């Protein structure tokens, strides 16, 4: 079964995020929106600063897992809409690599749903990051 592709090449642009949110402004059955933006941090690891992360994934498997998580959230919460996008390829420190947006008739639901979604994405989706440091060395990212 073919699932919606949630991947964007490179960083997720603020224009894309704004356009995705704006599509829902005229809907009168929505009372609340919530958005999570995952951003690449310039962490310092062993004295070296991260300059970028290169994201890779088993795309078919990852898209299927995103679909499962999405369906579980729609079944658990009273959501009107949801957008999930993750970067593939190189994303520089300071740029957005994960965009999750939910809407519901009720404010409390969007907070609970967003926490549910981000936790499951981070722990269950086969997306891998290779951290590139300013000195051009790299290592595989360890999720915490």
């Amino acid at each position: 079964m073919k699932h919606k592709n949630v991947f964007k090449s490179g960083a997720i642009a603020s224009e894309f995020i704004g356009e995705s949110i704006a599509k829902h402004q005229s809907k009168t059955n929505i009372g609340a929106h919530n958005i999570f933006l995952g951003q690449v941090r310039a962490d310092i690891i062993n004295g070296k600063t991260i300059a970028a992360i290169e994201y890779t994934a088993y795309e078919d498997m990852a898209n299927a897992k995103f679909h499962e998580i999405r369906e579980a959230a729609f079944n658990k919460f009273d959501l009107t809409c949801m957008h999930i996008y993750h970067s593939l390829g190189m994303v520089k420190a300071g740029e957005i690599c994960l965009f999750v947006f939910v809407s519901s008739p009720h404010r409390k639901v969007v907070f609970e749903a967003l926490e549910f979604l981000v936790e499951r994405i981070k722990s269950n989706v086969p997306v891998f990051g290779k951290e590139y440091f300013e000195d051009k060395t790299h290592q595989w990212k360890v999720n915490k």
Side-chain angles (χ1 to χ4, degrees):
M1 176 179 199
K2 188 74 174 160
H3 299 289
K4 177 183 176 187
N5 182 12
V6 302
F7 292 110
K8 298 299 248 175
S9 180
I12 300 171
S14 58
E15 295 81 13
F16 176 80
I17 294 166
E19 290 167 7
S20 298
I21 294 168
K23 290 177 187 175
H24 302 286
Q25 290 176 329
S26 63
K27 294 185 179 178
T28 58
N29 62 334
I30 295 174
H33 304 284
N34 203 0
I35 163 179
F36 174 84
L37 299 175
Q39 180 172 312
V40 173
R41 291 185 312 270
D43 285 347
I44 299 173
I45 300 173
N46 299 325
K48 298 192 285 184
T49 303
I50 294 174
I53 298 177
E54 181 180 20
Y55 291 99
T56 60
Y58 299 111
E59 288 188 55
D60 289 342
M61 186 187 305
N63 276 312
K65 187 53 83 172
F66 274 116
H67 179 75
E68 283 177 32
I69 293 167
R70 178 183 169 80
E71 292 306 305
F74 271 121
N75 288 331
K76 184 175 174 82
F77 302 100
D78 179 20
L79 296 174
T80 307
C81 77
M82 176 188 323
H83 293 279
I84 302 173
Y85 292 97
H86 199 294
S87 294
L88 283 184
M90 200 66 77
V91 181
K92 295 177 189 172
E95 293 180 328
I96 302 300
C97 57
L98 176 61
F99 167 43
V100 183
F101 172 75
V102 293
S103 299
S104 172
H106 308 286
R107 126 187 96 74
K108 188 172 183 178
V109 171
V110 295
F111 292 107
E112 294 169 354
L114 199 61
E115 180 70 20
F116 173 90
L117 286 161
V118 173
E119 287 301 318
R120 275 157 187 78
I121 290 166
K122 295 295 280 178
S123 62
N124 294 309
V125 178
V127 173
F128 310 97
K130 189 183 288 185
E131 297 168 320
Y132 284 85
F133 298 98
E134 289 177 345
D135 69 359
K136 307 298 184 219
T137 61
H138 58 81
Q139 70 179 20
W140 287 104
K141 182 176 179 6
V142 178
N143 285 334
K144 297 172 184 147

